Amino acid sequence: MTDWIDSKNILKWVKEDNEDLRNWLAYRFSNYAEYFKSENASLNGFIRYEVKGCSSNKDTQKVEVQRLHKAWKSYERGLKNASNKVCKLQLEVSKSARDKLKVLSNADKISQSKYIEKLINYARTNPKLTARSL
């Protein structure tokens, strides 16, 4: 009987030519280099091999694949943010300012972070207007 992980379309998110995924897996798993010395080694096969090694039934295999996929997506998002020069910003504002921001962002039907980005872009393009109002 085959394991759930051996089913065909389980790892649709794995692209064999993805060098970032290859490097991430090599960093994450110590036996990566050893596995790829064998013939017909693939990223898909390596992930299946790792999942089989740490989980024995369908439910734990599903959880392990989901955990691995989520970790990869988080890492991939970090790569995209780094290449787009996106960074995190944390603001501490009063409750009344937060409530005003919430009302204004809801009125524009965008998230609060997008609204702040919109305000920053407006201030950059209209420096005289924003400086006068301060």
Side-chain angles (χ1 to χ4, degrees):
M1 184 172 165
T2 61
D3 286 331
W4 171 83
I5 193 67
D6 292 326
S7 302
K8 260 190 171 178
N9 293 320
I10 301 300
L11 303 172
K12 291 179 182 178
W13 54 275
V14 177
K15 305 288 185 245
E16 291 299 327
D17 61 344
N18 189 337
E19 282 303 312
D20 290 330
L21 177 60
R22 187 174 293 275
N23 294 336
W24 181 75
L25 288 170
Y27 175 78
R28 192 171 175 97
F29 296 102
S30 58
N31 63 343
Y32 177 86
E34 191 64 36
Y35 178 85
F36 277 91
K37 289 180 183 176
S38 64
E39 283 186 40
N40 300 327
S42 67
L43 290 175
N44 206 315
F46 177 73
I47 292 171
R48 290 173 194 270
Y49 171 78
E50 281 298 321
V51 169
K52 278 184 197 177
C54 64
S55 49
S56 58
N57 65 27
K58 178 181 177 178
D59 293 333
T60 55
Q61 287 176 352
K62 276 185 176 181
V63 168
E64 186 63 26
V65 167
Q66 288 169 351
R67 187 185 61 76
L68 194 61
H69 186 227
K70 184 177 179 181
W72 162 245
K73 284 298 176 192
S74 175
Y75 178 78
E76 188 178 40
R77 194 169 33 260
L79 289 176
K80 286 178 184 171
N81 286 346
S83 67
N84 291 336
K85 297 181 181 174
V86 173
C87 57
K88 291 183 179 182
L89 174 67
Q90 186 173 350
L91 298 173
E92 291 187 19
V93 295
S94 66
K95 185 173 177 358
S96 61
R98 188 184 71 207
D99 292 341
K100 287 177 187 175
L101 175 63
K102 190 173 186 179
V103 168
L104 291 169
S105 65
N106 286 343
D108 273 2
K109 297 181 180 160
I110 57 177
S111 68
Q112 292 178 23
S113 60
K114 289 288 182 192
Y115 193 82
I116 290 173
E117 188 177 342
K118 186 177 170 181
L119 289 174
I120 292 169
N121 288 334
Y122 178 80
R124 187 181 323 127
T125 57
N126 301 297
K128 291 180 181 177
L129 291 175
T130 55
R132 254 189 258 139
S133 64
L134 295 175

